[in-house]
Amino acid sequence: MIAGNFGPLKKIGQILATLFGISLVAFFLIRLVPGDPITLLIGERGASPEAIADLKARVGLDRSLPEQYFKFVFNAIRGDLGTSILSGRDVFSEFKERFAATSELGLLALFLASAVGIPLGIFAALTRGRWFDRVSMGAAVAFYSMPIFWWGLMAIVIFSVKLQWLPVSGRIGVEHDVPLWSGILIFDSWLAPGSFMERFAAFRSAVHHLLLPALVLSTVPLAVIARMTRSSLLEVLGEDYVRTARAKGLSRFRVVVIHALRNALIPVITVIGLMLGTILTGAILTETIFSWPGLGRWLVSAVLSRDYPVIQGGILLVAIVVLSTSLFVDVLYYFISPRSRGAK
């Protein structure tokens, strides 16, 4: 039985209550915005009041709000999130396509942030008060404070316009026709028909298109991970068992890597896990700047067109992804942290 502050039933209950609250907000908040999808869809072309009323009845907008909400919740429990009013496609199918694109971008961004942020934080802690510590932590604050929109435009100007190293937008060059199997283009490019060189060219194009938005998206997580690693390692280095290890005459490498770093990385792993959900679903600005066909652009487009099924279904699915990630982090934290297992 899992003890301490992690209880599976309590956590699942919290998740269900959170999903219920999110469904309420997603459903009713968008309806406070002036306009409805039917008016926006046919307003410019014009239509008779009878035709508009008939179209509203077909998509269920002629019913009262409580009736619409309970039907949405009932269908969602059965796994039916409705059909987009604009595209006529199933909401879940559209979500899967967009989620794959956002996952590809978000996972690379988180990998870059971790690969750079953790070593940066470690060296900053080991050189506390020296020039490297001050410069690296100052850079971390600058990364954290930079507006993503401004930084994205500057990255385009530097790496795409001036240096011409990386493309401005899109996921892959138009000359490559890659069938989508997993939705992750850097994998699907190897499964595409053609010779090895054609598949390699498609893979290289997908990586080139991915690097710049991933670099921009990774800046804020990199800053958070670097500062968290530094502060956590400094705290652990002051613990009694670390001082005891030093007093025994162990080398600095053994003290830091074997005794201190393993415990110092536990809160860092927790932060990385929580950031995974945030990155996967919060890359709206980055996707907009680089025309990346992910969840952010999808939901923004749905809000602008008042596509109610996409908004309420998409937000609910995004919430499930974030909450599932949080639950996974809690389970992982329980198994890697002796302190959480021993808590009463």
Side-chain angles (χ1 to χ4, degrees), residues 154-172:
M154 290 300 100
I156 289 175
V157 171
I158 296 171
F159 296 105
S160 298
V161 178
K162 297 292 184 183
L163 300 176
Q164 298 186 350
W165 287 351
L166 298 168
V168 176
S169 62
R171 292 187 69 190
I172 196 169

Side-chain angles (χ1 to χ4, degrees), residues 12-320:
I12 292 173
Q14 290 174 346
I15 290 176
L16 292 177
T18 304
L19 288 176
F20 174 69
I22 289 173
S23 72
L24 278 172
V25 173
F27 182 87
F28 287 103
L29 203 60
I30 186 60
R31 282 164 172 80
L32 296 177
V33 179
D36 62 72
I38 305 302
T39 305
L40 293 176
L41 184 64
I42 64 177
E44 294 183 358
R45 291 176 293 177
S48 65
E50 293 77 14
I52 294 175
D54 179 62
L55 193 52
K56 284 186 176 181
R58 281 161 49 189
V59 297
L61 293 179
D62 61 328
R63 302 176 184 178
S64 65
L65 284 182
E67 194 176 356
Q68 291 181 44
Y69 174 72
F70 285 118
K71 184 181 179 183
F72 161 61
V73 173
F74 179 73
N75 289 336
I77 293 173
R78 296 167 51 213
D80 179 12
L81 292 172
T83 304
S84 168
I85 295 175
L86 292 184
S87 68
R89 295 185 58 204
D90 179 62
V91 171
F92 186 68
S93 298
E94 289 194 354
F95 175 85
K96 285 195 297 183
E97 294 175 5
R98 304 291 182 149
F99 181 71
T102 299
S103 298
E104 187 176 33
L105 173 62
L107 289 175
L108 180 62
L110 197 60
F111 172 78
L112 293 175
S114 303
V116 178
I118 291 177
L120 199 66
I122 293 172
F123 286 117
L126 297 179
T127 58
R128 183 182 186 183
R130 300 178 190 171
W131 69 269
F132 182 85
D133 180 28
R134 290 196 292 269
V135 171
S136 59
M137 289 302 103
V141 172
F143 283 159
Y144 188 81
S145 307
M146 272 194 310
I148 288 294
F149 193 77
W150 175 84
W151 168 224
L153 293 178
M154 290 300 100
I156 289 175
V157 171
I158 296 171
F159 296 105
S160 298
V161 178
K162 297 292 184 183
L163 300 176
Q164 298 186 350
W165 287 351
L166 298 168
V168 176
S169 62
R171 292 187 69 190
I172 196 169
V174 294
E175 69 274 18
H176 301 288
D177 183 18
V178 176
L180 293 178
W181 300 99
S182 66
I184 307 293
L185 277 179
I186 56 176
F187 296 144
D188 291 343
S189 58
W190 291 108
L191 302 176
S195 64
F196 173 81
M197 293 308 296
E198 289 173 337
R199 293 198 298 271
F200 179 73
F203 170 77
R204 186 173 61 180
S205 176
V207 172
H208 279 181
H209 283 76
L210 183 59
L211 278 178
L212 199 53
L215 177 67
V216 171
L217 186 59
S218 69
T219 51
V220 172
L222 189 157
V224 174
I225 291 171
R227 292 187 66 83
M228 173 61 75
T229 304
R230 177 185 181 275
S231 61
S232 178
L233 184 57
L234 285 176
E235 182 181 344
V236 172
L237 288 174
E239 296 284 346
D240 291 340
Y241 68 90
V242 174
R243 286 198 291 267
T244 302
R246 284 175 176 156
K248 288 181 179 178
L250 297 179
S251 66
R252 191 182 188 194
F253 177 83
R254 283 184 62 85
V255 170
V256 172
V257 176
I258 304 298
H259 294 277
L261 195 56
R262 187 173 58 181
N263 290 325
L265 287 181
I266 291 175
V268 178
I269 292 173
T270 306
V271 168
I272 292 174
L274 295 175
M275 277 189 170
L276 177 62
T278 305
I279 284 182
L280 290 180
T281 57
I284 295 176
L285 281 177
T286 306
E287 292 181 357
T288 303
I289 295 168
F290 293 96
S291 298
W292 193 263
L295 290 175
R297 286 189 64 203
W298 181 55
L299 288 175
V300 168
S301 174
V303 170
L304 293 176
S305 58
R306 314 289 193 275
D307 197 342
Y308 295 158
V310 170
I311 297 168
Q312 57 206 29
I315 290 177
L316 197 61
L317 288 170
V318 165
I320 290 173

